[in-house]
């Protein structure tokens, strides 16, 4: 193979480029990124970078000269506008046509729009890009502002925590009765809600947001007939996979680009990874699209090996972490299985020092450690084992987790 082409400048694309070189591929490697940055990861944008404790070096996967040193062509600030799988070419916005032997679509996702009156006013933010985080940090870092968050997903909750740390007032407006319930269930979602309220956040659930007010610039949000004053508004209501390139090329789509466990799309020589890929997971035997960092990291590695013609399978347990106030958390598990599982708590939920397990029958399908460290590897091994567990021993902190894992 002569030319490997990667479309996308996120974690999946950057990891795939590095994996190609680390695997000994000495042909051409080109990375095309629509944004004007070398490939970067997004978790710091709502965590350390936004809080000012981390710089761009924690965001970028590698310095810009790292790519030149490894003979990787990096084309930033230009979008891919056309894909022809039959001719094996990609067209860029500047008219350039690139041939490829294998191409990876790592085009990511975009923030879901909320077509409310006033959504286009100045002072209304979304958080996806480096520039978005920089703008939010500039607005929040001096404190004394009132931030209104529409939506209470993970990113919104992390921003709320950081905004309070800067000394701002925060109101969260969530349409569902319990925040994070889709990811954690009502009991744990309520625990996160309580934590934010204890830190001074005005968190309103079952909220019907009607419009954003202001003349030229946002100054409030109308919710259930009441106007909540706002110096800035952050809309965080999920993301939509960027499938336009794949759709125009006739690839199979369903909640993203449909791929097999090796991340092959429906077109020969075309692969997809990261937020945009809806991959068949061989363990749970269903397709699963994940927008988390670990999926992009592992997917980039698998895609690179598949592009080289090697047998590779994305079978990692989905993983996510968050930092909010004095809480640190890691979550591993299969969301489709966790949705109908029973919750088992090991530790002190009220003190926020516990491990939560999602148990389906007698099998652990998910685990979340909160302010309990150095256990995630054991949690993942327990999930992967697929073995039946004794529930009494599972919730007993005096029983080492290793004792529950088959040798």
């Amino acid at each position: 193979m002569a030319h490997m082409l990667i479309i996308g400048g996120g974690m999946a694309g950057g990891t795939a480029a590095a994996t190609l070189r680390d695997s000994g591929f000495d042909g051409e490697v080109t990375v095309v990124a629509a944004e004007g940055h070398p490939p970067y990861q997004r978790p710091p944008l709502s965590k350390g970078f936004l809080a000012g404790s981390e710089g761009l070096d924690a965001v970028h996967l590698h310095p810009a000269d790292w790519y030149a040193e490894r003979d990787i062509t990096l084309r930033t600030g230009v979008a891919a506008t056309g894909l022809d799988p039959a001719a094996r070419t990609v067209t860029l916005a500047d008219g350039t046509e690139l041939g490829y032997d294998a191409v990876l679509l790592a085009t990511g996702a975009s923030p879901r729009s909320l077509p409310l009156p006033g959504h286009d006013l100045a002072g209304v933010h979304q958080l996806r890009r480096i520039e978005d985080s920089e703008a939010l940090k500039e607005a929040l870092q001096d404190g004394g502002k009132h931030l209104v968050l529409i939506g209470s997903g993970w990113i919104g909750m992390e921003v709320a925590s950081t905004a309070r740390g800067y000394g701002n007032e925060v109101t969260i407006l969530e349409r569902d009765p319990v925040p994070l319930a889709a990811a954690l269930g009502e009991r744990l979602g309520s625990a996160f809600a309580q934590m934010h309220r204890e830190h001074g956040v005005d968190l309103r659930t079952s909220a019907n947001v009607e419009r954003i007010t202001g003349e030229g610039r946002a100054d409030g949000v109308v919710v259930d007939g009441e106007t909540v004053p706002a110096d800035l508004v952050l809309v965080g209501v999920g993301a939509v996979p960027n499938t336009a390139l794949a759709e125009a090329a006739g690839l199979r789509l369903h909640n993203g680009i449909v791929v097999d466990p090796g991340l092959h799309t429906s077109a020969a020589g075309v692969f997809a990874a990261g937020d945009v890929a809806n991959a068949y997971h061989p363990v749970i035997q269903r397709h699963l699209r994940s927008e988390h960092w670990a999926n992009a990291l592992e997917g980039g590695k698998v895609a690179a090996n598949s592009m080289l013609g090697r047998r590779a399978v994305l079978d990692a347990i989905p993983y996510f972490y968050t930092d909010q106030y004095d809480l640190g958390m890691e979550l591993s598990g299969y969301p489709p299985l966790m949705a109908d599982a029973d919750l088992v708590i090991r530790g002190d939920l009220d003190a926020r020092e516990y491990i939560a397990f999602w148990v389906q029958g007698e099998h652990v399908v998910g685990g979340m450690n909160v302010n309990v460290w150095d256990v995630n590897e054991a949690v993942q091994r327990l999930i992967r084992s697929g073995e039946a567990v004794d529930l009494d021993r599972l919730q007993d902190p005096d029983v080492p987790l290793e004792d529950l894992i088959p040798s």
Side-chain angles (χ1 to χ4, degrees):
M1 288 190 176
H3 188 198
M4 299 295 187
L5 179 58
I6 297 167
I7 308 299
M11 172 63 81
T15 300
T19 303
L20 287 170
R21 285 293 185 241
D22 292 344
S23 298
F25 177 70
D26 59 4
E28 287 186 74
V29 177
T30 301
V31 178
V32 176
E35 296 182 47
H37 306 281
Y40 67 91
Q41 59 178 332
R42 302 187 191 276
L45 302 186
S46 59
K47 298 181 175 74
F49 183 73
L50 181 63
S53 59
E54 295 178 327
L56 279 175
D57 57 332
V59 179
H60 290 145
L61 301 184
H62 305 286
D65 56 7
W66 181 92
Y67 298 90
E69 291 169 358
R70 285 155 181 79
D71 197 23
I72 296 172
T73 301
L74 186 58
R75 301 192 57 147
T76 60
V78 59
T81 56
L83 166 65
D84 186 339
R88 297 209 175 201
T89 60
V90 168
T91 303
L92 306 185
D94 62 7
T96 302
E97 186 175 272
L98 301 175
Y100 65 82
D101 291 285
V103 61
L104 172 63
L105 303 183
T107 47
S110 296
R112 189 183 302 277
S113 61
L114 194 62
L116 291 171
H119 72 276
D120 55 350
L121 291 169
V124 178
H125 297 255
Q126 293 180 314
L127 181 53
R128 180 71 185 180
R129 306 169 303 141
I130 289 175
E131 290 82 1
D132 299 332
S133 186
E134 289 175 331
L136 268 176
K137 179 164 59 177
E138 182 178 359
L140 294 170
Q141 62 188 354
D142 293 333
K145 301 288 198 321
H146 190 170
L147 168 66
V148 175
L149 280 154
I150 301 176
S152 64
W154 291 115
I155 289 177
M157 295 296 233
E158 289 173 357
V159 172
S161 170
T162 300
R164 291 294 294 142
Y166 278 133
N168 298 281
E169 297 299 314
V170 176
T171 298
I172 297 176
L173 305 176
E174 169 56 47
R175 68 176 183 178
D176 292 333
V178 178
L180 301 175
L184 302 179
E186 292 190 0
R187 185 180 179 190
L188 295 179
S190 296
F192 273 83
Q194 178 61 27
M195 176 182 66
H196 278 270
R197 289 178 173 129
E198 289 175 6
H199 284 84
V201 173
D202 179 10
L203 196 162
R204 307 186 187 188
T205 57
S206 299
N208 177 33
V209 177
E210 300 170 19
R211 63 185 183 277
I212 301 170
T213 63
E215 295 293 332
R217 185 173 187 84
D219 61 15
V221 178
V222 179
V223 54
D224 296 314
E226 175 191 350
T227 299
V228 179
D231 296 299
L232 65 158
V233 178
L234 175 64
V235 178
V237 290
V240 180
N242 295 326
T243 58
L245 191 67
E247 182 176 8
L251 301 187
R252 184 185 171 204
L253 304 179
H254 179 71
N255 184 28
I257 303 172
V258 176
V259 292
D260 68 10
L263 305 186
H264 304 78
T265 72
S266 57
V270 182
F271 302 80
D275 295 3
V276 76
N278 189 4
Y280 186 83
H281 199 293
V283 176
I284 62 173
Q285 299 183 4
R286 67 184 76 185
H287 281 85
L288 179 64
R289 190 175 73 83
S290 172
E291 296 174 0
H292 295 315
W293 165 89
N295 176 66
L297 174 68
E298 298 301 325
K301 297 175 184 177
V302 170
N305 280 287
S306 290
M307 293 167 78
L308 292 170
R310 300 170 180 170
R311 186 182 183 279
V313 172
L314 183 59
D315 60 0
I317 298 171
Y319 168 88
F320 169 76
Y321 72 98
T322 189
D323 298 304
Q324 300 173 36
Y325 309 110
D326 56 354
L327 178 146
M329 176 274 269
E330 297 175 288
L331 172 61
S332 298
Y334 302 112
L337 304 185
M338 293 165 60
D340 298 322
D342 296 322
L343 186 65
V344 175
I345 302 296
R346 175 190 181 98
D348 193 332
L349 182 63
D350 293 334
R352 301 189 185 110
E353 292 183 5
Y354 61 92
I355 306 174
F357 292 101
W358 284 262
V359 181
Q360 194 176 73
E362 297 178 326
H363 307 281
V364 176
V365 296
M368 181 177 77
N369 48 296
V370 174
N371 290 339
V372 177
W373 301 112
D374 302 321
V375 297
N376 183 256
E377 181 179 344
V379 169
Q380 291 216 4
R381 287 170 56 206
L382 186 58
I383 296 170
R384 191 172 289 281
S385 75
E387 296 290 334
V389 295
D390 183 310
L391 297 186
D392 289 334
R393 300 183 73 212
L394 181 66
Q395 63 187 337
D396 185 351
D398 293 330
V399 177
L401 284 181
E402 289 74 11
D403 289 356
L404 303 172
I405 303 169
S407 58

